[in-house]
């Protein structure tokens, strides 16, 4: 009997990719929502190094770091909806871009909300330059992982979910149809997938959350 628990928050871009992967693979999971201002003893026990969500606990064994968790899920429940390709080179490419997403693209986006002045302008330029690279990845395929949804799409899912709230809060059009036609088409396809739609967060609530973050950084 499988026992799968996920420690997370409703809005974390890192947690959402895990929720989507588990749903795509029909894995039942109990989600434990953390208050990150007051982390539970369980979270600290299961992720003593980073003390962050998500943590997947499978039969009492914790797995940390969302991209690592995604691979674990894919290999553990491998018969349903495979996420990573089998070919080592294709797999390496997806891992490379997912790492680029988390280390470069995502921080530049959130930096644009959180930073001020010159730093904010630099974050904006970086975000748009990174988006151009991701746009090119979609020049031949509908999805970032190829012809169908896969690991890299889940890794970049935060972009589809958060681009509109981020645009509202920053006043900057990020996914502009003229500059990023492939990404705009990808976003629509991604959000059209039922499993993704089911766990689509309320955009207004996300906007309020980002407004609060922006306000707290401006003080
Ligand atoms: N590299 C980590 C990042 C996870 C992360 O930053 N989680 C945030 C929530 S979005 C968190 O738990 N923050 C709590 C903290 O920094 O204390 C992953 O991919 O899992």
């Amino acid at each position: 009997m499988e026992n799968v628990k996920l420690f997370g928050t409703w809005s974390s871009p890192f947690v959402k990719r895990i929720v989507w992967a588990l749903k795509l693979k029909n894995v039942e999971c109990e989600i434990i929502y953390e208050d990150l201002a007051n982390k539970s003893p369980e979270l600290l026990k299961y992720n003593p190094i980073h003390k962050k969500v998500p943590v997947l606990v499978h039969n009492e064994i914790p797995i940390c770091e969302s991209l690592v968790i995604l691979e674990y899920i894919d290999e553990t429940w491998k018969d349903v909806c495979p996420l990573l390709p089998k070919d080592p080179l294709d797999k390496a490419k997806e891992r490379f871009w997912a790492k680029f997403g988390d280390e470069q693209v995502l921080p530049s986006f959130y930096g644009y909300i959180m930073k001020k002045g010159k730093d904010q302008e630099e974050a904006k330029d970086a975000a748009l330059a990174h988006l151009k690279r991701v746009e090119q990845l979609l020049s031949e395929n509908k999805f970032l992982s190829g012809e169908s949804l896969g690991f890299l799409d889940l890794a970049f899912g935060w972009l589809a979910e958060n681009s509109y709230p981020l645009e509202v809060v920053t006043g900057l059009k990020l996914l502009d149809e003229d500059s990023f036609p492939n990404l705009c088409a990808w976003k629509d396809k991604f959000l059209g997938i039922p499993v993704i739609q089911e766990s689509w967060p309320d955009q207004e609530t996300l906007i309020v959350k980002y407004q609060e973050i922006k306000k707290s950084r401006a003080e």
Side-chain angles (χ1 to χ4, degrees):
M1 179 70 185
E2 305 270 18
N3 185 331
V4 183
K5 288 189 283 200
L6 175 66
F7 287 76
T9 62
W10 70 273
S11 63
S12 165
F14 305 103
V15 173
K16 285 318 266 313
R17 51 179 68 151
I18 308 306
V19 172
W20 293 325
L22 291 169
K23 283 193 177 192
L24 285 164
K25 286 181 176 278
N26 296 323
V27 178
E28 284 201 22
C29 165
E30 177 193 358
I31 302 182
I32 296 140
Y33 290 99
E34 283 287 326
D35 170 4
L36 294 180
N38 185 19
K39 295 172 186 168
S40 71
E42 286 81 12
L43 176 64
L44 301 177
K45 177 181 89 177
Y46 287 133
N47 192 355
I49 296 182
H50 299 301
K51 305 179 178 66
K52 291 184 178 189
V53 294
V55 178
L56 186 80
V57 183
H58 185 199
N59 296 333
E60 292 311 314
I61 309 292
I63 303 108
C64 302
E65 287 296 305
S66 60
L67 293 178
V68 175
I69 301 172
L70 266 190
E71 290 208 31
Y72 176 81
I73 291 173
D74 199 32
E75 287 175 3
T76 303
W77 293 281
K78 56 178 178 294
D79 296 336
V80 182
C81 189
L83 297 174
L84 270 166
K86 286 202 169 57
D87 177 73
L89 192 55
D90 292 341
K91 202 185 278 192
K93 279 186 197 157
E94 293 213 23
R95 288 183 177 132
F96 171 87
W97 287 109
K99 196 166 183 292
F100 172 74
D102 278 13
E103 291 180 1
Q104 306 280 325
V105 192
L106 194 147
S108 62
F109 268 71
Y110 286 86
Y112 187 67
I113 295 193
M114 300 199 191
K115 292 179 180 168
K116 287 193 263 179
K118 189 167 160 282
D119 291 344
Q120 191 183 44
E121 280 307 300
E122 279 173 11
K124 182 183 88 177
D125 293 346
L128 295 174
H130 295 329
L131 275 190
K132 285 226 164 3
R133 295 194 184 278
V134 185
E135 172 76 9
Q136 280 161 12
L137 286 180
L138 287 161
S139 57
E140 284 173 13
N141 289 308
K142 282 190 282 192
F143 287 98
L144 290 163
S145 292
E147 273 310 296
S148 55
L149 179 98
F151 176 83
L152 198 53
D153 298 285
L154 298 187
F156 271 94
W158 62 268
L159 183 61
E161 272 202 347
N162 290 277
S163 58
Y164 174 70
L166 287 171
E167 282 170 359
V168 172
V169 174
T170 58
L172 169 75
K173 185 76 184 147
L174 295 165
L175 286 191
D176 161 25
E177 286 272 355
D178 292 334
S179 313
F180 302 110
N182 298 339
L183 266 169
C184 290
W186 167 81
K187 177 180 164 173
D188 290 344
K189 280 195 193 73
F190 182 78
L191 297 178
I193 293 168
V195 159
I196 308 291
Q197 264 177 11
E198 278 166 27
S199 48
W200 172 242
D202 173 7
Q203 297 281 286
E204 290 309 313
T205 317
L206 268 178
I207 290 170
V208 171
K209 180 189 157 77
Y210 288 134
Q211 273 162 343
E212 281 166 4
I213 293 175
K214 190 180 171 199
K215 194 163 158 258
S216 71
R217 304 292 154 148
E219 280 160 2

